Amino acid sequence: YGLRDEFVGVVKSVVRSIAPDVAVVDISHDIARHDVRAGGLALARAAQYLVPGVVLGVIDPGVGTSRRAVAIEVGDGASVLVGPDNGLFAAAVAMVGGATRSVELDNAVFHIPAPGPTFAGRDIFGPVAAHLCAGVALDEVGTEIDPASLHPGLLPVGGRHGDTVFGEVMWCDHFGNLQLNLDPDDLEGFGAEVVLQWSGQTRRASRAVTFDQIPASGIGLLVDSYGVLALAVRGGSAAAELGLGEGDAVTLTDGGDPPGVDTPVTLGPRT
């Protein structure tokens, strides 16, 4: 929903009106509008660190259509994800071991009256999430459906073919770091430098462990806090430096090790 309009505050107020003691933890309100994939990736990155409870997720370009409103139980009841059935939850559900139960939110007793059909977060998802927080059972808020019928999430799969690694930018964070859909093992046998290619452009990147190890004015390739490869610039933005963004394809090849530096030394007389 973003933070410019009143939408987030209204949804939170609806939740608190039903479950006044609930503690709300905000994950993000700045996902690009209509970007279900980006929202799904944000939930997947956060999933293993979220306190057990009810997760309310709304990126819903199909609001008011025949797309289902759902609640998905994971961890044998440890948490429930509430929102649209459009693939938003697929990656997060997979990250925590899959769904144990799911229901379609068709019991209007747990909704609030809707003047129009375009604000399901206020009228359906928020109220249902609040009722679940207040102790209402999952099977009361809707009709059980097969978890296998839930809309899948479509995520790019990268990997290595011969000496070339094919990847895609999955996420550009606030700092301009570019998370790739690649595992460190994809670079097995590579040297200290990697050759990046995208859209007819080529740059060399230095492999690093920390941001501080990235050479000044250079590109770094490191393992990020989620355990996957990311491109970064020390004190700057890799996205701005390279002109890359989410969804852009990149290839990586071995750049070997940088050449050594010869330093002349003059020996004085022995004393």
Side-chain angles (χ1 to χ4, degrees):
Y1 290 134
L3 292 172
R4 174 180 172 178
D5 302 301
E6 72 276 12
F7 304 136
V8 169
V10 167
V11 173
K12 286 186 176 182
S13 292
V14 167
V15 169
R16 290 292 296 272
S17 70
I18 297 168
D21 296 325
V22 70
V24 177
V25 177
D26 296 279
I27 300 173
S28 177
H29 297 297
D30 286 327
I31 302 298
R33 58 186 181 183
H34 312 313
D35 195 339
V36 174
R37 189 184 88 152
L41 287 170
L43 282 173
R45 291 190 298 268
Q48 60 186 311
Y49 303 103
L50 297 181
V51 64
V54 177
V55 177
L56 173 60
V58 187
I59 299 179
D60 194 17
V63 62
T65 70
S66 60
R67 70 95 186 89
R68 296 183 297 189
V70 295
I72 306 167
E73 180 190 84
V74 296
D76 290 317
S79 294
V80 178
L81 296 84
V82 177
D85 181 24
N86 59 5
L88 177 63
F89 298 125
V93 168
M95 282 289 295
V96 295
T100 49
R101 285 193 299 164
S102 57
V103 299
E104 182 174 0
L105 305 179
D106 53 8
N107 188 349
V109 169
F110 298 100
H111 306 170
I112 66 174
T118 62
F119 198 176
R122 177 195 65 192
D123 303 329
I124 300 174
F125 303 134
V128 168
H131 283 294
L132 291 171
C133 288
V136 173
L138 183 66
D139 57 7
E140 290 186 57
V141 299
T143 302
E144 188 161 353
I145 58 176
D146 185 353
S149 72
L150 294 169
H151 198 287
L154 300 177
L155 298 178
V157 177
R160 183 167 177 170
H161 298 278
D163 295 328
T164 303
V165 177
F166 297 88
E168 182 176 310
V169 177
M170 288 198 300
W171 178 40
C172 176
D173 70 11
H174 172 74
F175 298 97
N177 302 315
L178 299 170
Q179 185 184 74
L180 305 177
N181 60 338
L182 296 172
D183 187 271
D185 291 343
D186 290 323
L187 301 187
E188 183 178 356
F190 277 32
E193 291 193 345
V194 173
V195 177
L196 304 172
Q197 292 184 303
W198 73 100
S199 301
Q201 300 188 61
T202 301
R203 287 286 295 270
R204 295 181 77 87
S206 301
R207 300 178 69 179
V209 176
T210 65
F211 296 112
D212 193 58
Q213 291 180 352
I214 300 171
S217 302
I219 304 298
L221 181 68
L222 45 71
V223 179
D224 74 3
S225 59
Y226 294 100
V228 296
L229 295 174
L231 298 168
V233 169
R234 187 174 71 184
S237 166
E241 177 71 20
L242 300 176
L244 285 168
E246 294 171 5
D248 288 337
V250 296
T251 61
L252 296 79
T253 53
D254 184 17
D257 294 319
V261 177
D262 294 329
T263 303
V265 177
T266 301
L267 299 177
R270 179 180 295 178
T271 58

